[in-house]
Amino acid sequence: MKDEPTILASETSDPEDFDVSATTLDRAQKARLIRMARTSLGLSQGEFALRFRVSLGTLRDWEQARTTAPDFAVAYVRVIARHPDMVAAAIA
């Protein structure tokens, strides 16, 4: 999305900084939400993936913001964060 407008400009004094678009910010916020949900449960990526039937590679991609988690996945993770035992039992 090279033509997408910048919502947060890079710091000119930092050569490693970069402009941030709305898409990039959205992907980062979803990645953070997913990572925080998993870590709040005290689970490794592998444990979370196995328990909640998410592909480990997909989970890693979402958490590292390599790909954007779709809205249904974000909703699923929010339900997991609130009711982990109920979700685990429902999909067992």
Side-chain angles (χ1 to χ4, degrees):
M1 304 253 170
K2 294 183 184 221
D3 296 331
E4 190 172 356
T6 298
I7 62 168
L8 180 62
S10 63
E11 177 59 49
T12 55
S13 64
D14 183 353
E16 294 183 20
D17 201 9
F18 53 89
D19 292 342
V20 176
S21 68
T23 302
T24 303
L25 184 59
D26 180 57
R27 184 172 45 230
Q29 288 174 326
K30 287 178 178 180
R32 182 174 186 225
L33 180 144
I34 293 167
R35 187 176 52 258
M36 289 177 64
R38 177 184 57 78
T39 59
S40 72
L41 296 173
L43 299 174
S44 69
Q45 287 178 333
E47 292 166 334
F48 187 93
L50 184 63
R51 184 171 185 194
F52 298 110
R53 296 188 185 182
V54 177
S55 160
L56 179 57
T58 298
L59 179 63
R60 285 182 180 148
D61 286 346
W62 290 344
E63 285 193 12
Q64 294 172 9
R66 283 189 286 232
T67 60
T68 304
D71 290 340
F72 78 86
V74 173
Y76 181 51
V77 170
R78 285 184 172 146
V79 173
I80 290 169
R82 290 192 176 115
H83 307 286
D85 294 333
M86 180 186 72
V87 174
I91 63 174

